């Protein structure tokens, strides 16, 4: 059978496809114009009462009035975040079901061989906030700076212990990174940051890779010593605590790796992604929210969807490098 399109110019043959693309963009814009027209569900992969849940509720308080719609927090804890991520990955890509999680935990989940493709294809919307991390030592350890700690560990490999929120956590991977740089310490995993900090304050472990909010009250009581922030920039509210790059200039985690961020189902229309990112960005820099976050040693992060997608990819790639080098099994 002769090809009826053989004599039609190539540009005209592509016209239907171009028209479909234009219609898809127009449809997405129209959808975003009416969005949101019903309540938005924020899925949190952790139990109520933690920092992720608390900040989700804080942001929902402000996003509701700005978008003139109700935000409903749903906690779907379990399986290291997989239950919540799976739920959102199966949701309609209409912007009414979004995931609020830590980028580090989601990156680790997405890197597991057994993770389904839909979870890998969750749509990055934007980062929102970042808790400031901390490298904290027990009182009486006798090491008063990150430089002193590194020098001691180099000369005494495997002698000091460090606690984290658990095996395979982002804090554990930072500890493994130290080991790969020649600073070997013994990992002591706990079921969360709280128990790790209690053990540190009690002198049962030497160090904790933790966050500033959990460390400051204990430091003020003289029960622990904060040595450094595991990031490249200082924290404006505590300029007395140096970033770790002062001691390790080539520290791999240049950006804050503990980003709390929003993701949508696979295929979420770009116009809705942009609208949500814009509103979240405006919300986290309002004076009221900034003040409340600052009290928790949390900083706002404003990103475009593309910027956030690049950051998330960079964080995931850094973690995967550490995981492969240390032969860590996360299944």
């Amino acid at each position: 059978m002769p090809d009826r399109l053989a004599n039609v110019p190539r540009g005209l043959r592509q016209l239907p496809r171009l028209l479909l693309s234009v219609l898809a963009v127009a449809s997405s814009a129209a959808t975003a114009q009416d969005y949101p027209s019903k309540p938005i569900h924020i899925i949190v992969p952790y139990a109520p009462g933690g920092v992720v849940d608390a900040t989700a509720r804080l942001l929902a308080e402000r996003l509701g009035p700005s978008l003139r719609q109700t935000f409903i927090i749903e906690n779907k804890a379990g399986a290291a975040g997989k239950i919540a991520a799976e739920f959102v990955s199966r949701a309609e890509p209409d912007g009414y079901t979004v995931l609020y999680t830590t980028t580090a935990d989601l990156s680790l989940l997405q890197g597991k061989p057994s993770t389904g493709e839909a979870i890998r294809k969750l749509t990055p919307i934007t980062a929102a906030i970042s808790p400031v991390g901390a490298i904290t030592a027990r009182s009486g350890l006798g090491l008063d700076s990150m430089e002193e700690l590194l020098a001691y560990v180099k000369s005494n490999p495997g002698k000091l212990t460090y606690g984290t929120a658990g095996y395979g956590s982002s804090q554990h991977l930072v500890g493994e990174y130290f080991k790969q740089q020649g600073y070997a310490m013994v990992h002591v995993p706990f079921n969360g940051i709280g128990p790790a900090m209690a053990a540190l304050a009690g002198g049962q472990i030497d160090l904790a890779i933790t966050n500033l909010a959990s460390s400051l009250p204990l430091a003020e009581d003289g029960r622990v010593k904060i040595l450094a922030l595991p990031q490249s920039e200082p924290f404006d509210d505590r300029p007395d605590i140096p970033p770790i790059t002062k001691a390790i200039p080539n520290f791999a985690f240049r950006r804050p790796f503990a980003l709390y961020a929003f993701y949508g189902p696979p295929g979420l229309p770009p116009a809705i992604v942009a609208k949500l990112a814009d509103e979240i960005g405006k919300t986290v820099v309002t004076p009221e929210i900034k003040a409340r976050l600052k009290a928790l040693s949390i900083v706002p992060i404003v990103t475009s969807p593309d910027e956030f997608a690049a950051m998330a990819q960079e964080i995931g790639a850094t973690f995967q490098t550490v995981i492969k080098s240390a032969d860590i099994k996360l299944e």
Side-chain angles (χ1 to χ4, degrees), residues 304-322:
S304 71
D306 287 345
E307 287 169 339
F308 172 54
M311 289 171 71
Q313 187 174 20
E314 179 185 323
I315 290 167
T318 304
F319 280 138
Q320 288 306 314
T321 298
V322 174

Side-chain angles (χ1 to χ4, degrees), residues 98-174:
V98 296
L99 178 69
Y100 178 69
T101 187
T102 72
T103 294
D105 287 353
L106 183 61
S107 295
L108 294 173
L109 175 62
Q110 291 175 324
K112 291 182 178 180
S114 63
T115 297
E117 195 61 25
I119 293 177
R120 299 181 202 277
K121 290 183 177 179
L122 286 167
T123 304
I125 297 173
T126 186
I129 60 174
S130 176
V132 179
I135 308 294
T136 306
R138 64 175 171 82
S139 178
L141 184 61
L143 302 171
D144 295 324
S145 69
M146 197 68 200
E147 288 86 351
E148 288 183 20
L149 171 67
L150 295 175
Y152 180 86
V153 173
K154 198 86 167 180
S155 302
N156 300 272
K159 187 168 184 180
L160 296 185
T161 56
Y162 73 96
T164 71
Y167 181 85
S169 66
S170 56
Q171 296 88 1
H172 173 210
L173 296 185
V174 172

